Amino acid sequence: MKKYGVKYRIGSVAEAGSNKQLTPAKLAANDTAADSTSHEAFGDLIPYADPSWYQGYHSPYYNETHVALRQEIREWVEEYVTPNIEDWEEEGKIDPAIYKQAGELGILTGACGLPEFTTKYSTKRLKSVKPEEFDAFHELVIVDEICRCGSGAFAWFLLGGLGIGLPPLFNFGQEAVKQRVIPGILAGDKRICLCITEPDAGSDVANIRTSAKKTEDGKHYIVNGVKKWITNGIFADYFSVAVRTGKPGMGGISMLLIERTFPGITTRKIKTQGMGNSGSTYIEFDNVKVPVENIIGKENQGFKVIMSNFNHERIGIIIQANRFSRLLYEEAVRHAHRRKTFGKRLIEHDVIRNKLANMAIRCEGVHNWLESLVYQTTLMDSKEAMFRLGGAIAGAKALATQTMELCAREASQIFGGLSYTRGGQGGVVERLYREVRAYAIPGGSEEIMLDLAMRQALKVHEVLGSKL
């Protein structure tokens, strides 16, 4: 009807509650716009619980492949993931078979955000989108839909190491190493993680201490040091590791791919407030002998590799935090329609609607900024994106995690004691509340992000000719 109906329509339709008439010409114009930018409504249509394009709003960012991919990922999550989240939470571990399944279905490949993987290093394919059609918004859809399971621990179990540990190797590693390592990772047979943070160096990346010294014959590096809070480290077969090969500061850092099979590596799981199944790990490197071929990038230029990875990592955090914010809001809306106090449903109380409105407007603000930033990444080359988008992405990350914290608090207030109990009606709220800090701190703490957002904006606009 959208495509052909206008041509055969006769008469006019009055807008409800208005004397205005929608003429055939206006309807034709509206339908043309709908053809190119809107899609059939999807989901339960709870206002603001999904991105606006799920609910029939117009958007320039999505086409039919995104619509099909959304359905593909949702079906997988609803059948194989969400029903098991509570059990995995109680057991303290996630069935590793789900990781292998995600590899076989091409989900791991798509979630990396690097479409070249699908043709060069993997035969695994998503059903709904061809490799040549894949763009950054397909990755957004994959991560967003996975997070509808309501567990950051699962999102990080699946994507936490892969999404930040693999891009440095892909973008800067030596081809022979990539050919040997990447196919197994994308198939779901092997796992990788990123090792930057140390007990005394988190956001202050330039001051890492883990050392890598060349042997006399120049064929190996000998690595000594520790890394902490490394997501997926306990599961990993490969570690993309920041090491010091030169002078103090950012100019003396390199990146190495260290393999689990190398002697001298010890990993120990860290118990955390939330995200227990994400595999947060304490790693020790004791005289680990690493072939020089395993260097990622060039010696003493590893800081560039690290910085090039941050935009993608932070966008991933924004996607996840925003979906969890929506999920907290959605849980609160559903509960507010069920629960009665003082003779009426919670949703009928002004104070409850005020809480929900404050949650909703922030979710929408974050998502629209997110889409704008993702769109910029599709048009800018990596150098321009690092220069112009780094500060904005940092600011968006801070806003996204602050929004998640607000939504967690307000959802908990609406649920009351139910959100203080694991499992049951308030189980999702309780779980996500424990995971808030895992989004506010890693990838750059909110304080660092806000400072970076302003410093970078001033720097960029000075170059652009700002009159300050």
Side-chain angles (χ1 to χ4, degrees):
M1 289 299 294
K2 283 183 179 180
K3 194 168 185 179
Y4 300 110
V6 176
K7 181 178 177 182
Y8 301 105
R9 185 180 293 127
I10 58 175
S12 60
V13 180
E15 289 182 294
S18 171
N19 292 323
K20 292 181 179 179
Q21 297 291 316
L22 288 177
T23 66
K26 288 181 180 178
L27 287 165
N30 289 342
D31 282 359
T32 300
D35 272 347
S36 60
T37 64
S38 69
H39 306 280
E40 185 177 348
F42 181 78
D44 291 340
L45 296 183
I46 297 171
Y48 308 116
D50 280 311
S52 60
W53 73 281
Y54 283 48
Q55 303 188 344
Y57 282 69
H58 298 275
S59 172
Y61 304 123
Y62 307 97
N63 58 41
E64 292 302 325
T65 65
H66 300 98
V67 172
L69 179 62
R70 178 180 62 186
Q71 182 67 41
E72 180 180 350
I73 303 301
R74 179 163 295 198
E75 288 177 356
W76 179 72
V77 170
E78 290 187 345
E79 182 174 356
Y80 296 103
V81 180
T82 304
N84 295 307
I85 290 296
E86 287 293 344
D87 288 341
W88 289 337
E89 189 81 7
E90 289 303 310
E91 292 168 6
K93 62 180 180 179
I94 295 172
D95 184 357
I98 198 73
Y99 192 85
K100 175 61 178 175
Q101 185 185 47
E104 289 296 321
L105 294 174
I107 294 171
L108 299 182
T109 299
C112 292
L114 296 170
E116 296 91 335
F117 287 164
T118 60
T119 54
K120 193 170 185 180
Y121 299 111
S122 176
T123 59
K124 310 304 177 184
R125 299 286 188 272
L126 291 159
K127 292 187 297 184
S128 52
V129 54
K130 298 177 182 178
E132 61 270 21
E133 296 173 330
F134 197 92
D135 62 26
F137 285 96
H138 290 102
E139 181 190 2
L140 191 161
V141 168
I142 293 172
V143 177
D144 185 54
E145 281 293 321
I146 285 171
C147 289
R148 286 190 72 258
C149 72
S151 169
F154 178 78
W156 285 19
F157 168 87
L158 197 69
L159 309 174
L162 177 77
I164 59 178
L166 190 50
L169 174 63
F170 176 81
N171 289 319
F172 299 96
Q174 296 192 25
E175 186 59 32
V177 177
K178 293 195 286 186
Q179 292 281 359
R180 175 170 60 84
V181 170
I182 293 177
I185 295 173
L186 295 179
D189 296 321
K190 300 289 184 179
R191 306 193 63 166
I192 192 169
C193 66
L194 181 70
C195 301
I196 304 293
T197 305
E198 299 179 357
D200 297 315
S203 296
D204 188 9
V205 176
N207 283 321
I208 63 162
R209 298 180 181 179
T210 297
S211 65
K213 297 181 179 180
K214 271 186 179 175
T215 56
E216 290 186 6
D217 60 10
K219 293 182 178 180
H220 294 86
Y221 290 98
I222 304 299
V223 178
N224 285 282
V226 297
K227 299 291 180 179
K228 194 173 183 181
W229 298 296
I230 304 306
T231 302
N232 288 186
I234 202 75
F235 317 124
D237 301 281
Y238 304 104
F239 308 84
S240 297
V241 186
V243 295
R244 184 160 302 284
T245 50
K247 60 185 180 181
M250 65 182 68
I253 294 175
S254 300
M255 289 289 293
L256 294 176
L257 182 72
I258 300 181
E259 305 180 33
R260 171 79 72 169
T261 54
F262 297 164
I265 302 171
T266 303
T267 57
R268 174 165 49 87
K269 184 177 180 179
I270 299 174
K271 294 182 179 180
T272 50
Q273 179 184 38
M275 316 290 278
N277 287 334
S278 68
S280 186
T281 308
Y282 186 89
I283 304 175
E284 296 179 81
F285 299 105
D286 183 13
N287 289 322
V288 180
K289 195 174 183 180
V290 183
V292 293
E293 293 79 15
N294 279 34
I295 194 164
I296 298 174
K298 296 181 180 179
E299 188 171 280
N300 295 326
Q301 294 184 27
F303 196 78
K304 173 185 174 183
V305 176
I306 296 168
M307 291 299 105
S308 71
N309 206 39
F310 271 139
N311 278 356
H312 182 254
E313 176 182 2
R314 288 168 183 160
I315 284 176
I317 291 173
I318 297 167
I319 297 168
Q320 293 174 45
N322 191 232
R323 172 50 80 174
F324 291 140
S325 298
R326 287 194 191 276
L327 198 56
L328 287 158
Y329 161 83
E330 179 181 350
E331 290 288 306
V333 171
R334 291 182 185 277
H335 184 68
H337 279 77
R338 292 191 302 261
R339 177 87 162 108
K340 286 186 177 181
T341 61
F342 306 104
K344 57 183 179 180
R345 296 179 303 165
L346 286 179
I347 195 65
E348 297 175 65
H349 292 282
D350 295 359
V351 67
I352 299 299
R353 292 197 302 273
N354 184 275
K355 288 179 179 295
L356 294 172
N358 273 302
M359 297 160 77
I361 62 176
R362 286 163 176 78
C363 290
E364 288 298 294
V366 171
H367 200 90
N368 279 276
W369 196 2
L370 168 65
E371 288 179 326
S372 175
L373 291 170
V374 171
Y375 180 62
Q376 302 310 312
T377 67
T378 67
L379 299 177
M380 296 180 183
D381 61 32
S382 58
K383 186 176 181 180
E384 182 184 7
M386 281 183 64
F387 175 65
R388 298 198 64 173
L389 300 183
I393 291 171
K397 178 193 180 285
L399 179 60
T401 58
Q402 288 175 352
T403 297
M404 182 180 174
E405 183 167 12
L406 179 139
C407 289
R409 182 193 184 280
E410 296 294 54
S412 182
Q413 291 300 110
I414 292 170
F415 269 84
L418 290 172
S419 69
Y420 199 63
T421 306
R422 294 204 181 196
Q425 292 183 51
V428 172
V429 177
E430 186 277 332
R431 181 167 57 249
L432 290 176
Y433 207 132
R434 283 187 283 112
E435 296 180 345
V436 166
R437 300 261 62 81
Y439 285 90
I441 297 171
S445 69
E446 287 178 358
E447 293 78 7
I448 297 293
M449 293 296 91
L450 290 168
D451 180 59
L452 175 61
M454 185 50 61
R455 283 192 296 109
Q456 189 76 356
L458 292 170
K459 179 180 177 181
V460 169
H461 284 260
E462 180 182 358
V463 172
L464 294 175
S466 173
K467 302 297 190 293
L468 286 174

